[in-house]
Amino acid sequence: MAAPLLEKLSESLGSPEPAVRLILSILIAYPCALVYRRFLFYQPAPVIHLFHTLSGLALATFNFGSQIYHSAVCILVQFLMLRLMGRTVTAVLSSFIFQMVYLLAGYYYTATGEYDIKWTMPHCVLTLKLIGLSLDYFDGAKEPSQLSPEQKDSAVHTVPSFLEVCGFSYFYGGFLVGPQFTLRSYQRLVARELTDRPGQPPNSMVPAMKRFALGFVCLVLFATFSPSFPDSYMLTEEYKAQPFWYRCVFILLWVKIILYKYVSCWVIAEGACILSGLGYNGAEDGKPKWNACANMKVWLFETTPLFSGTILSFNINTNAWAARHVFKRLRFLGNKTLSHVATLMFLSIWHGLHSGYFMCFSMEFIIVIVERQAQSLVKDSPALTKLANSPLYPFIYVVQQLIHWFFMGYSLVPFCLFTYDKWLQVYSSVYFCGHVFFLLAFLAMPYLRRMLVPRQERSQKKQE
């Protein structure tokens, strides 16, 4: 009975059935959170773990059928590693290798060259959760003086039960599309600590509905405009025949619309986490904060003219996971640039085996390097500082935004088209202008600094 209804719904919405199932599952997390608040908030921990496990399994089955065994296998193996290997480097390395190899094998055997909603989509979220769990469990054996504040907050000091690991892994608010959160955060939720009303369910209905409403608006924007900006159009002869400026404007508008697909899912999922209490992040000036599970800073995302600002506003929890568990743990390399490259390489592989991911993250690295140099130049140059603070700044801001969003789209073309034959075709049609622009900017920056920065300022900079 459900299948025909879903087919009709997907036809009426003009969306693939897997996408409809995914959106419905994200929405179902809200009733799950209400059930938890109303009936299970005061129940013993095993009952809550069981509810989270069964509800997450039900959503997984609804979306992927019998393929849920992939997640079950990885959770079981991870639990056995915690129990049998203990808090050892061997356990951490074994966890990392097993979980990543399993995920990459899944990518390899299910790859189609198109964006498909399949079991590997939630599994990449689960992979980070389980690797993070092994690292947090390892940190639990260290002295507090050896840990950073973040590590102290997330370190796991007791051996979790299998049911607890399952509840953490299948939690309905984060299983399908994220956000990332630690086992300690989950344990605080179950222990009724994540609430602005001690001993009572959190007063989080209004903030949760605000995030839901914002996510729904983004979903409507995506559903309304995405048919006019399909990825496939960039591969057509009609697109190639358009003037250069038209091709560039299409990429700029395309990326604005296509990113709402991710924004809407993350913001709606965040609302369910807030409703359950997992989004509680303490209080500031007497007001509760609900941003512990925020995966998007939508206002910053829409208004920042900087590539680094977009990175800070987008997929926040995954970026924070990578910073905490990859970038900062590579401190022994003694080189931030090398750690940055290694972190981006890890994120590329984690996303999948397609060449487009590697091209996207390599472009991100180049753009961020050039942008930092440009910001330093503006700061050190009296003429550029004066221009940035002049009445002309609104015009400069608009131009900067257009450049920002075009090159953001340029970078995401390979991310969305996956294979080199496709993204190479699009890059050729716009004459590799992104690579040319940032290469020339990188080469020109030292000369611009000599021209625009007084010699005294340059000398002080070198001494620093």
Side-chain angles (χ1 to χ4, degrees):
M1 183 67 181
L5 287 175
L6 283 170
E7 287 178 11
K8 291 180 180 178
L9 183 59
S10 64
E11 287 176 9
S12 62
L13 294 174
S15 298
E17 187 177 323
V20 174
R21 287 178 182 270
L22 176 63
I23 292 297
L24 288 176
S25 299
I26 295 173
L27 295 175
I28 289 171
Y30 284 80
C32 289
L34 290 173
V35 169
Y36 162 70
R37 290 166 59 97
R38 178 66 179 85
F39 301 105
L40 300 172
F41 187 80
Y42 299 104
Q43 294 298 316
V47 175
I48 298 174
H49 298 322
L50 184 62
F51 171 71
H52 291 157
T53 301
L54 294 178
S55 56
L57 280 170
L59 293 177
T61 304
F62 175 63
N63 283 273
F64 310 111
S66 61
Q67 292 179 329
I68 62 169
Y69 77 85
H70 293 292
S71 61
V73 166
C74 288
I75 292 168
L76 176 60
V77 170
Q78 185 62 60
F79 173 75
L80 292 175
M81 285 181 180
L82 295 181
R83 281 299 178 99
L84 300 177
M85 295 184 179
R87 304 176 193 271
T88 62
V89 174
T90 302
V92 171
L93 292 176
S94 299
S95 170
F96 182 88
I97 293 170
F98 174 80
Q99 301 298 349
M100 285 299 295
V101 168
Y102 199 104
L103 176 65
L104 295 179
Y107 286 147
Y108 179 79
Y109 286 108
T110 63
T112 63
E114 302 290 338
Y115 183 82
D116 300 315
I117 296 176
K118 48 185 182 283
W119 68 267
T120 54
M121 186 196 70
H123 201 87
C124 71
V125 177
L126 179 65
T127 297
L128 294 192
K129 268 189 183 180
L130 296 178
I131 293 173
L133 172 59
S134 69
L135 287 163
D136 292 335
Y137 186 66
F138 176 74
D139 288 341
K142 296 180 180 179
E143 293 294 325
S145 59
Q146 296 178 290
L147 301 175
S148 68
E150 287 178 317
Q151 291 172 332
K152 287 178 185 177
D153 189 57
S154 59
V156 177
H157 299 286
T158 58
V159 184
S161 68
F162 180 62
L163 190 57
E164 188 173 26
V165 174
C166 287
F168 161 68
S169 301
Y170 284 116
F171 177 70
Y172 48 81
F175 174 69
L176 291 171
V177 297
Q180 289 293 329
F181 54 89
T182 65
L183 178 64
R184 283 295 298 125
S185 293
Y186 175 76
Q187 289 173 334
R188 293 184 186 108
L189 173 72
V190 174
R192 298 183 287 278
E193 296 174 12
L194 297 183
T195 175
D196 57 328
R197 301 187 298 176
Q200 300 180 58
N203 188 26
S204 59
M205 189 74 71
V206 172
M209 290 302 102
K210 285 181 178 178
R211 296 309 278 178
F212 169 79
L214 180 58
F216 186 76
V217 168
C218 294
L219 182 62
V220 170
L221 287 172
F222 173 74
T224 303
F225 294 105
S226 60
S228 301
F229 297 93
D231 305 350
S232 56
Y233 179 68
M234 292 184 283
L235 302 173
T236 64
E237 292 299 322
E238 181 183 350
Y239 177 77
K240 292 179 188 177
Q242 300 293 344
F244 175 71
W245 68 265
Y246 181 95
R247 283 172 265 162
C248 293
V249 170
F250 182 89
I251 290 176
L252 186 153
L253 296 175
W254 164 79
V255 76
K256 285 293 292 180
I257 299 304
I258 200 71
L259 288 179
Y260 282 127
K261 172 172 64 177
Y262 304 99
V263 175
S264 59
C265 289
W266 288 334
V267 174
I268 293 174
E270 181 196 344
C273 292
I274 292 172
L275 190 60
S276 69
L278 191 65
Y280 182 67
N281 196 22
E284 189 174 284
D285 298 327
K287 295 182 179 180
K289 297 188 296 182
W290 302 101
N291 60 352
C293 292
N295 229 1
M296 283 295 307
K297 295 178 180 177
V298 179
W299 179 252
L300 178 62
F301 174 75
E302 293 291 350
T303 59
T304 181
L306 302 173
F307 293 94
S308 54
T310 298
I311 293 168
L312 288 172
S313 68
F314 193 83
N315 206 1
I316 296 169
N317 281 287
T318 299
N319 290 336
W321 188 100
R324 185 170 71 251
H325 290 310
V326 183
F327 181 82
K328 293 180 181 179
R329 291 180 190 269
L330 292 176
R331 190 176 296 136
F332 65 89
L333 295 175
N335 188 302
K336 285 188 177 181
T337 300
L338 194 57
S339 298
H340 189 187
V341 171
T343 303
L344 291 177
M345 182 65 69
F346 168 78
L347 288 173
S348 301
I349 296 171
W350 172 70
H351 276 92
L353 300 172
H354 292 300
S355 61
Y357 296 126
F358 295 91
M359 176 55 67
C360 174
F361 283 101
S362 65
M363 278 300 301
E364 176 188 322
F365 178 74
I366 294 167
I367 289 172
V368 168
I369 293 295
V370 172
E371 184 176 76
R372 285 175 182 169
Q373 293 178 342
Q375 287 179 289
S376 177
L377 177 62
V378 172
K379 180 182 176 182
D380 296 338
S381 168
L384 293 179
T385 301
K386 183 178 179 181
L387 183 62
N389 294 320
S390 73
L392 288 174
Y393 180 72
F395 173 75
I396 297 171
Y397 173 82
V398 171
V399 173
Q400 191 176 356
Q401 273 288 25
L402 293 174
I403 293 172
H404 163 222
W405 277 110
F406 168 64
F407 287 121
M408 185 63 64
Y410 182 90
S411 302
L412 285 170
V413 162
F415 187 93
C416 295
L417 296 183
F418 304 123
T419 57
Y420 76 92
D421 57 317
K422 292 180 180 178
W423 58 258
L424 195 60
Q425 181 179 329
V426 178
Y427 275 179
S428 298
S429 70
V430 292
Y431 313 117
F432 291 89
C433 59
H435 290 78
V436 172
F437 178 88
F438 286 101
L439 176 60
L440 292 177
F442 179 78
L443 294 175
M445 210 61 69
Y447 300 99
L448 291 173
R449 177 166 284 277
R450 288 180 192 173
M451 292 169 53
L452 298 170
V453 179
R455 183 173 298 177
Q456 184 179 355
E457 294 285 339
R458 295 201 304 268
S459 299
Q460 290 178 356
K461 201 73 175 178
K462 286 181 181 179
Q463 291 174 3
E464 291 174 4

